[in-house]
Amino acid sequence: MKFVVQGQYNIELFINNQPYALNNSNFSLISVIQNCICFLPTFKLILRDLTGKLIDQYSLKDGSLIDINIGNNDLTQKMKFRVYGVPVSQPGINGPEIKMVGYLDHPKYLMKLVEDSDYTDTSSNIIKRITQICGLDNDIDTTNDKMTWVPGRKNYSSFAKHLCDYAWNSNTSAFSIGVDFNKKLHFKDVAKLIKSKPIKQLYWGAPSNDLAKNVKAYNCLMYNIKTLSGILNKWAGYGMKLNQEQLDGTYIEHKNVQATRLSNYMEMDGDLKQQIDTARIEYFPPNCGNVHSKYETAFHQNRRIRSTFSTLVELITDQFTQSSLFDVVRWQMLNQVDRSVNSAYNGIYIVAASALMITGQNYYEKIRLYSTGRQTDTSGSMV
């Protein structure tokens, strides 16, 4: 049974395949999140237990199935989750509340140990195999790093993350990985991705007029500009080195990388970078010759280039955007004081996380966008 708020959203909830009839008084929060950090999308659900028997009535337990379908008149996002742990009963303002959290219904990918097999291939092909084994769809960029990969005692999700960390395609590639609401695993070279045209526009104030007609624009209620440049520059931006001794006694050093800008410059001060030169040194064990030729280079390169994505925009909208991980979008905002176009932050960003939330009977989406820097450098001192 759909719960409909006219002009905003409709939602269906099923617990262990039984419909749960939502209304204005029997839930406090429904939230689902996808991001590039967690192995799978997650959910949080707070229901008001008006009878005191909800857990027994729906046989709620660890591993219970939760179906959440959220949409509007045109589109519906259908998601199936598993409860993680035992649902918790807690006192609430209007009676007891049942709180539960969980993950997208793909426990094999999340927890099953990798089965013994021959994993001699490129990282992209092995990740494709993992999606086929675990029942996930895929969106995978090609790599050039064939070797025999050893999963050890990793589960499939940890093995996929390991493959991503050491994946290599070119001197500019930088790979990232994530699974979206649609059970699709994305394995993307973000340096290649930034050259794509935006598929949608998110704006505050007024949309841009210079995009293609098929690029839909979504109005945002509020935004927050943040930066991770301080910690990421100290960790990697102002000179990280990866040193390694070879079996023949020679010594190699991995330091410089070729980063591709999303914006006109990166959030690093050129003078500071020159003064510091090296901010961090790490050591790799000797290369025994049983890995691909760019194994250590890939690990160093992937981390350093990903660390340049330090400018982020967090925004909230009440529109149903159907944003997915690694969507390339155009962010447009006006200056809050004089309503002029804010050229510093407008530009191309990549979606790295999003949350769909229903609380207080209102629908919201929170979306996190990443870029490598601002579009204008008034001081002329940035890298």
Side-chain angles (χ1 to χ4, degrees):
M1 181 183 297
K2 286 186 179 180
F3 175 59
V4 179
V5 175
Q6 292 297 334
Q8 286 199 57
Y9 67 89
N10 58 68
I11 182 168
E12 289 180 300
L13 177 65
F14 296 84
I15 303 175
N16 286 326
N17 298 316
Q18 299 181 60
Y20 182 84
L22 292 166
N23 58 52
N24 290 323
S25 61
N26 67 359
F27 75 98
S28 299
L29 173 69
I30 298 173
S31 172
V32 295
I33 299 172
Q34 60 181 352
N35 59 47
C36 300
I37 298 175
C38 297
F39 290 131
L40 289 174
T42 58
F43 83 95
K44 182 177 181 180
L45 187 61
I46 301 178
L47 303 177
R48 296 192 181 109
D49 190 1
L50 303 179
T51 65
K53 300 177 181 179
L54 192 149
I55 291 180
D56 292 336
Q57 180 182 354
Y58 287 91
S59 303
L60 277 167
K61 62 185 187 306
D62 179 37
S64 288
L65 284 171
I66 304 294
D67 289 82
I68 301 174
N69 303 328
I70 302 176
N72 56 23
N73 292 333
D74 302 317
L75 303 166
T76 300
Q77 179 69 65
K78 295 184 177 183
M79 299 159 285
K80 185 183 290 289
F81 296 92
R82 290 274 182 179
V83 173
Y84 183 76
V86 179
V88 176
S89 179
Q90 59 189 23
I93 297 175
N94 299 309
E97 293 183 334
I98 304 299
K99 177 182 175 182
M100 62 190 91
V101 296
Y103 53 89
L104 196 71
D105 183 26
H106 283 277
K108 188 172 184 177
Y109 177 73
L110 183 64
M111 293 180 280
K112 183 175 175 59
L113 290 180
V114 178
E115 296 175 351
D116 292 335
S117 183
D118 178 11
Y119 295 102
T120 302
D121 210 329
T122 62
S123 59
S124 55
N125 283 342
I126 293 177
I127 289 176
K128 185 176 181 179
R129 280 177 59 187
I130 290 174
T131 63
Q132 293 168 345
I133 291 169
C134 298
L136 296 167
D137 297 327
N138 61 69
D139 172 24
I140 295 175
D141 285 346
T142 302
T143 59
N144 182 22
D145 52 10
K146 186 176 181 178
M147 61 173 268
T148 298
W149 301 85
V150 181
R153 302 316 300 162
K154 295 181 177 66
N155 50 42
Y156 282 107
S157 53
S158 296
F159 188 31
K161 177 63 167 59
H162 173 79
L163 292 163
C164 179
D165 287 341
Y166 291 88
W168 190 88
N169 186 55
S170 71
N171 290 332
T172 61
S173 60
F175 287 92
S176 188
I177 193 169
V179 178
D180 66 18
F181 291 139
N182 296 312
K183 67 172 189 174
K184 178 178 285 187
L185 184 148
H186 301 266
F187 174 63
K188 305 300 292 181
D189 177 357
V190 293
K192 175 185 174 183
L193 188 65
I194 63 177
K195 300 173 184 178
S196 307
K197 293 183 179 180
I199 62 172
K200 66 185 63 163
Q201 180 179 188
L202 302 165
Y203 70 92
W204 184 87
S208 171
N209 297 320
D210 60 352
L211 292 178
K213 292 182 179 180
N214 62 337
V215 176
K216 191 171 181 179
Y218 298 91
N219 178 52
C220 299
L221 303 175
M222 61 180 69
Y223 68 88
N224 188 14
I225 306 292
K226 294 185 176 182
T227 180
L228 300 174
S229 60
I231 187 170
L232 290 178
N233 284 344
K234 182 178 184 299
W235 175 64
Y238 288 133
M240 171 193 276
K241 289 200 298 186
L242 183 64
N243 295 340
Q244 183 181 38
E245 186 176 355
Q246 302 294 84
L247 293 179
D248 61 3
T250 58
Y251 190 78
I252 61 173
E253 176 184 282
H254 305 276
K255 184 178 180 181
N256 295 327
V257 296
Q258 299 179 38
T260 304
R261 294 187 180 99
L262 267 172
S263 51
N264 289 338
Y265 69 94
M266 295 183 180
E267 294 287 355
M268 301 178 200
D269 184 86
D271 180 60
L272 276 178
K273 191 175 189 302
Q274 186 175 8
Q275 289 187 51
I276 295 169
D277 183 59
T278 301
R280 182 184 178 91
I281 299 177
E282 294 185 351
Y283 294 89
F284 234 84
N287 187 330
C288 297
N290 58 348
V291 293
H292 69 82
S293 61
K294 297 293 185 179
Y295 188 77
E296 296 86 3
T297 301
F299 182 73
H300 178 68
Q301 180 174 301
N302 283 327
R303 290 199 302 172
R304 285 208 68 191
I305 294 179
R306 287 198 304 253
S307 74
T308 64
F309 286 76
S310 60
T311 298
L312 61 105
V313 178
E314 289 184 339
L315 56 91
I316 292 179
T317 179
D318 58 359
Q319 295 182 276
F320 193 63
T321 69
Q322 279 204 313
S323 294
S324 183
L325 297 181
F326 300 103
D327 278 355
V328 178
V329 303
R330 168 75 175 268
W331 167 246
Q332 168 88 5
M333 59 183 282
L334 299 182
N335 187 302
Q336 194 169 0
V337 177
D338 60 10
R339 308 293 288 181
S340 61
V341 174
N342 189 320
S343 58
Y345 288 103
N346 291 350
I348 303 299
Y349 288 76
I350 293 175
V351 174
S354 70
L356 317 183
M357 298 172 287
I358 297 177
T359 180
Q361 314 306 320
N362 295 313
Y363 174 79
Y364 300 104
E365 289 187 21
K366 183 177 181 179
I367 303 172
R368 174 173 278 198
L369 312 174
Y370 279 85
S371 180
T372 58
R374 289 167 287 171
Q375 303 297 322
T376 54
D377 176 15
T378 55
S379 66
S381 64
M382 307 305 285
V383 173

